[in-house]
Amino acid sequence: MPASTHTRTVEGLIAQLTLDEKALLLEGVDAWNTNGVARLGIPRLFLTDGPHGVRKVRKNSGAFGLAEAEPSTSFPTSTTLAKTWDPDLAGQVGAAIGRESAALGVDVLLAPGVNIMRSPLCGRNFEYFSEDPLVSGVFGTAFVQGVQSQGIATSVKHFAANSNEDYRFVGDSVIDERALREIYLRAFERIVKDGAPATVMCAYNQLNGMYCSDNRELLTGILRDEWGFDGLVMTDWGATHDRVVGLVAGCDLDMPGQVAHNRAEIIAASRDGRLPVEVLDQAVARVLALVDRCTHHQDAEPVDAAAHADLAARVATEGAVLLANDGTLPIDRSHGGLAVIGEQFERMRYQGAGSSLISPPTTVSPRDAFDARGVEYRYARGYRALDLHIDATLEPEAIETARDADTVLFFGGLGDLEESEGFDRTTMALPDAQVRLLNALVDAGARVVLVLSTGSPVEIPRHDELAAVLLLSLPGMNGGEAAARLLFGERSPSGKLTESWPMTAADSSCAADYNVSAVSQYYESIYVGYRFHDRAGTDLRYPFGHGLSYTTFDYRDLAVTVDGGRVDASVTVANTGARDGAEVVQLYVRNNRGRVFKADKELRAFTKVLVEAGTEKRVALEFDLADLAYWDVAEHDWVLENGDYEVVVAASAADLRLSAPLVVDSGRASRSPHPEHVERAYAAPPRSIPNAFAALLGRAVPAAPPTKRLGLETRLGDAHGSFLGRIFLRAVIGRVKKDFDAALALPDSLERDARAKSTHFVLRMMPSMSLRSMAMSSAGELPYSLAEGLALIAAGHPIRGIRRITTKTPTTEDAR
Ligand code: BGC
């Protein structure tokens, strides 16, 4: 689209497009490209994942395109990035990924993922930033601005309330209006308003009974009308339900597309008036505007691969969290006597499985980093992560290696069989082989430092008998370098947790209803993460915001001033130890005690400050009084209540250092929009689903759909109880299982690990898919007519089903 023709671009081009061409423009031509219209010079757009690098697959294979990708820097995953508490680093990472996207010809990066970590069990937590909406929103905004500074468009995902993987294709997130606004939408709101992302990707799941891709209230009412979003909305891959309803709702682009049924529906509905021409043209206009934006932007800066690799190492270092330390760390490496146990030492798990898988040009494992420093150690593998059975020879060998060692470094955590996109965990426990080995080492009297790679909280066996715990999270391609810098004291740890770590999953804030059925009752309402634990008094393994250093910090002289709607706080942070270090200062505001239930305190500002040993710095933090407002369901608006609040400066949600009163009188007197019994039920966080949940919702809680029969919207795993469902599930699983088994049969190698990881992701995801989501995401491989036909047969209509399977749907093929 030449610049000179820009004015004719939107209106003029729309006037020249045929109906078939419009329908084509509103979907993908394959997994990663949109359709173009060659005769009018409208190019295709190239979209690819995100968020931790650029996943440009070499060959377009199937819907989820898990083929090997072009090399690109594998940055630490989002959870690690957020644990730096330094949004400037998120901006730098975004810009670096933007530059690499430009060099690889990418137009739209499918990132960042900003869903709230509702449960420690969610398989995809590693791709998200936090349980807290402020942290998620601030990091998401910085990332979007970074990527888009290089002329590359972003797609903020998954809008909205996609909090699990097991039910993501069919599940219904049932959330009260207030929790939705204060917790699940708030990060998106901030990013849309402050970061101006070019696109938003809607989630697979339903939100309060309506699929997100069909949800007009969400995609138009809230996103566009309220927040002023003027970009394009695309589906998640295969998230379309009713294409025409979706278009009317504001869902413009259907990905990966190639669903003849959807195009035919658009055409039929345009002809019979169900789809008004203005609605169709508006969606086409948004696609054309995105095409224009992606073809006319300033050039990106050149890629400096070495600088990006350094940045990846820096983020991994600053995002690692020292969870516990009895003084064993840092290790004096000249001292000797070091034993290292655990496969992750040499085969580090540096990223998660699924759509975010990056192929880095190189990696630096902890072993590489130790060897580069000439560190002396004895090593035993101890366990094998990508194996279905425990290898009994590895444990005794590891115990022997650890015998008489001064310190044992145990590299462990979750493997890709336990944690991945596509499925959730059922427990926070570490893999059995690691638990057994840790127990055996501690029993043998070893001084064990646990170095953890995991994208989500895990149970820590023998915690109080461990010498130290260092969390690397999923640290990207140079994670080993970060580990060595921190373990040997070249740097002082400075990361802090962005989610609470309960002792076990049973202690988490949504434990009573996580993955119980396709209807997820978000019964805990606003009490997510620390908002729950604060009030419930949970005995946590580690609180939100926790992280130690090799030095210590004192806080003093908190001053708070209010000027108009702005609150300014300042505090002196003194480094009282012998090493330089950085401290994450957290500002919470303790809420007023009014008539409306609230969390005890909420994070309102944070900053990270580097303080040299023996010196101090004055640190400034600020927020708007309006941030203290709660969402009032009677007003359908934010309401600031008058009352006595308190500014609290803290080193973690459980390590409060200083506080100052904050009196608000510019708001409204406290008045509850809820019936009295709701206020009573929610005065403290519920530990089970309260009867008052329905009243809080304002309607009856929907019943979970009957699950057994194979239907268009039935989770395949739930349909296995029926004959047809069982046969179908076996057939699809059998196909993928062959690939997984073939990967496991390969000789022990990194290649085997990589193939096992990718195929396992698809294998585990299959039971959570439905006939519809398979048809929508298979880029033509499973025709929608076949899916519908199978559902009809399963519903007892064999003749209609067979007719449906054999009847050709009218398509727009001729227009291609
Ligand atoms: C994921 C998205 C991803 C898309 C394309 C989906 O399954 O949920 O996050 O961008 O696939 O790979």
Side-chain angles (χ1 to χ4, degrees), residues 32 49 55 64 110 124 157-158 168 201 204 236-237 355 421:
W32 308 118
D49 290 301
R55 185 169 70 106
F64 295 94
L110 306 173
R124 215 171 177 183
K157 62 191 188 183
H158 309 88
R168 68 170 168 164
M201 183 193 290
Y204 287 121
D236 196 345
W237 267 223
S355 60
E421 178 184 338

Side-chain angles (χ1 to χ4, degrees), residues 166-167 169-170 707-722 724-733 762-775 782 787 790:
D166 278 354
Y167 289 91
F169 294 108
V170 300
T707 51
K708 278 218 160 66
R709 209 186 61 211
L710 184 67
L712 270 178
E713 308 282 10
T714 319
R715 218 169 144 264
L716 297 181
D718 291 339
H720 81 282
S722 69
L724 204 59
R726 198 159 43 243
I727 295 193
F728 187 73
L729 185 63
R730 270 203 206 139
V732 288
I733 290 214
V762 183
L763 179 67
R764 285 292 308 268
M765 182 168 66
M766 279 300 157
S768 65
M769 298 194 83
S770 64
L771 279 172
R772 189 196 295 277
S773 64
M774 285 188 83
L782 175 70
L790 285 169

Side-chain angles (χ1 to χ4, degrees), residues 294-317:
C294 293
T295 38
H296 295 101
H297 55 72
Q298 87 289 358
D299 288 340
E301 294 152 8
V303 171
D304 179 344
H308 291 186
D310 287 348
L311 179 61
R314 180 174 167 206
V315 174
T317 310

Side-chain angles (χ1 to χ4, degrees), residues 187-260:
F188 286 102
E189 179 177 6
R190 179 182 286 269
I191 297 164
V192 164
K193 289 182 174 167
D194 296 354
T199 82
V200 165
M201 183 193 290
C202 74
Y204 287 121
N205 51 280
Q206 306 175 52
L207 173 59
N208 288 328
M210 171 83 73
Y211 277 102
C212 291
S213 58
D214 288 350
N215 200 320
R216 187 171 163 77
E217 167 66 7
L218 185 68
L219 304 184
T220 297
I222 295 175
L223 179 65
R224 298 186 200 276
D225 297 347
E226 255 186 58
W227 298 347
F229 177 69
D230 64 357
L232 169 142
V233 174
M234 69 179 77
T235 62
D236 196 345
W237 267 223
T240 294
H241 284 267
D242 184 320
R243 188 62 182 113
V244 173
V245 172
L247 277 167
V248 173
C251 184
D252 308 304
L253 178 64
D254 177 21
M255 290 301 293
Q258 277 216 35
V259 181

Side-chain angles (χ1 to χ4, degrees), residues 348-569:
M348 109 185 129
R349 180 159 176 265
Y350 57 95
Q351 61 176 337
S355 60
S356 64
L357 208 62
I358 304 297
S359 302
T362 54
T363 56
V364 178
S365 67
R367 182 170 205 153
D368 297 329
F370 278 36
D371 293 348
R373 286 167 171 75
V375 177
E376 287 185 10
Y377 58 87
R378 295 197 305 270
Y379 169 66
R381 186 170 182 175
Y383 60 86
R384 284 174 61 152
L386 282 160
D387 243 342
L388 300 176
H389 309 289
I390 295 183
D391 180 339
T393 61
L394 296 176
E395 188 177 312
E397 186 186 292
I399 291 169
E400 188 48 38
T401 303
R403 193 187 304 281
D404 302 328
D406 194 40
T407 304
V408 175
L409 291 178
F410 186 101
F411 284 81
L414 296 179
D416 294 296
L417 299 189
E418 290 86 39
E419 180 186 50
S420 165
E421 178 184 338
F423 63 93
D424 302 307
R425 291 182 294 154
T426 53
T427 158
M428 272 174 49
L430 287 171
D432 281 353
Q434 294 186 37
V435 175
R436 273 179 45 175
L437 187 52
L438 263 170
N439 272 315
L441 289 166
V442 173
D443 285 343
R447 178 150 53 145
V448 179
V449 173
L450 176 61
V451 185
L452 274 177
S453 295
T454 159
S456 281
V458 291
E459 286 173 23
I460 303 191
R462 312 291 288 265
H463 179 266
D464 297 347
E465 294 159 271
L466 298 175
V469 184
L470 176 66
L471 172 70
L472 298 177
S473 301
L474 299 183
M477 63 187 240
N478 284 340
E481 177 61 21
R485 285 177 189 170
L486 296 168
L487 290 168
F488 300 122
E490 294 162 26
R491 299 276 195 293
S492 190
S494 63
K496 293 199 181 189
L497 294 177
T498 53
E499 77 286 74
S500 314
W501 279 44
M503 299 283 186
T504 70
D507 299 325
S508 60
S509 45
C510 61
D513 197 59
Y514 189 69
N515 285 347
V516 170
S517 78
V519 172
S520 287
Q521 303 188 47
Y522 286 51
Y523 69 94
E524 74 280 22
S525 186
I526 57 163
Y527 295 114
V528 177
Y530 69 85
R531 288 168 168 81
F532 176 92
H533 301 301
D534 269 1
R535 276 283 173 84
T538 318
D539 190 14
L540 290 168
R541 175 60 73 207
Y542 307 114
F544 175 87
H546 169 75
L548 305 173
S549 163
Y550 293 150
T551 186
T552 44
F553 299 98
D554 268 3
Y555 290 47
R556 60 179 166 72
D557 301 333
L558 171 64
V560 177
T561 58
V562 184
D563 185 6
R566 197 88 200 137
V567 183
D568 285 287

